[in-house]
Amino acid sequence: MADSPAAPDSDKRAGTPAQNFAWSNMFVHPDDDPRSDGGFDDERTILVEYLRDQRLTLELKCADLDAEALARRAVPPSALSLLGLVRHLAEVERGWFRRTMAGQDAPRIYRSEADPDADFDGAVADPAVVDEAWRTWRAEVEFAERFVAEAPDLGVKGRQRGGAEISLRELLVHMIEEYARHNGHADLLRELIDGRVGQ
């Protein structure tokens, strides 16, 4: 019986980094991972810490990349890039925590009626754009964390555009879902950039 043929080199896409599932090719060794190992008891801590871990995952996926790599749209024809995800999630944080929960008149940062995809379209390979995106994202995360810490309970209600109410409890679950979805995108984007995988 003949051996199964190995996949020919021509099956590999030109310019795509080789997969290498080893600790040396992952983001951090488990002993150095800044994210939690779970084990939380109360509801608020569970939600807050799982969201914190998702935010840290986004930062890990973007670590050690220059502006060109962060802005690379690695899955044509999609406009997704790691930098676009940072900008988009800054916009998401701002919308939910400042406008919906805190009731602030906080204008959109990037998006507009004329350009609803500006968070992704404006994610260009410019170090100044990268620096601004991280500053903005961190400021919005800081506001959100402070709002949650100061909320008397998870039943606090915010009002969405259109008038529907949402509890802080539901919003935290939604934010975990939002980050988890986009961190899945970030997994693929990063692997296409330099082959780093997982976590």
Side-chain angles (χ1 to χ4, degrees):
M1 180 172 164
D3 292 335
S4 299
D9 289 341
S10 59
D11 286 351
K12 297 178 181 177
R13 289 182 297 160
T16 302
Q19 288 182 333
N20 184 4
F21 293 96
W23 285 121
S24 62
N25 207 35
M26 298 183 91
F27 289 90
V28 289
H29 189 279
D31 294 341
D32 301 320
D33 196 327
R35 295 167 299 181
S36 72
D37 290 323
F40 309 115
D41 289 326
D42 66 282
E43 183 184 17
R44 184 190 290 251
T45 304
I46 289 169
L47 295 174
V48 166
E49 291 300 322
Y50 270 83
L51 179 53
R52 175 185 171 273
D53 286 347
Q54 290 293 331
R55 288 167 172 153
L56 286 170
T57 298
L58 177 67
E59 291 186 280
L60 283 173
K61 295 296 177 182
C62 297
D64 305 320
L65 294 176
D66 62 16
E68 182 181 348
L70 285 168
R72 187 174 305 156
R73 295 175 181 182
V75 190
S78 172
L80 281 176
S81 67
L82 289 170
L83 179 57
L85 290 175
V86 174
R87 289 161 53 97
H88 173 70
L89 287 164
E91 196 81 85
V92 169
E93 296 269 6
R94 183 177 182 86
W96 281 114
F97 287 100
R98 288 191 192 270
R99 288 197 295 273
T100 299
M101 296 306 299
Q104 292 185 359
D105 181 16
R108 293 179 185 270
I109 308 163
Y110 307 112
R111 301 171 65 193
S112 66
E113 295 295 329
D115 189 357
D117 295 320
D119 40 2
F120 292 104
D121 293 341
V124 296
D126 179 339
V129 173
V130 172
D131 289 345
E132 184 278 333
W134 282 118
R135 274 195 313 274
T136 301
W137 179 78
R138 289 188 175 106
E140 296 306 323
V141 168
E142 182 181 345
F143 178 88
E145 289 177 335
R146 188 168 60 250
F147 181 90
V148 174
E150 293 174 358
D153 59 64
L154 296 176
V156 168
K157 302 279 189 181
R159 191 168 296 279
Q160 302 176 65
R161 188 172 52 187
E165 288 189 332
I166 185 171
S167 70
L168 180 56
R169 174 183 291 104
E170 183 180 355
L171 174 53
L172 290 171
V173 172
H174 171 72
M175 290 298 292
I176 293 166
E177 174 191 49
E178 179 88 11
Y179 271 91
R181 175 173 179 261
H182 288 311
N183 283 334
H185 296 142
D187 277 338
L188 297 175
L189 289 163
R190 183 61 189 255
E191 188 171 348
L192 284 166
I193 291 168
D194 64 4
R196 294 180 78 180
V197 298
Q199 294 178 282

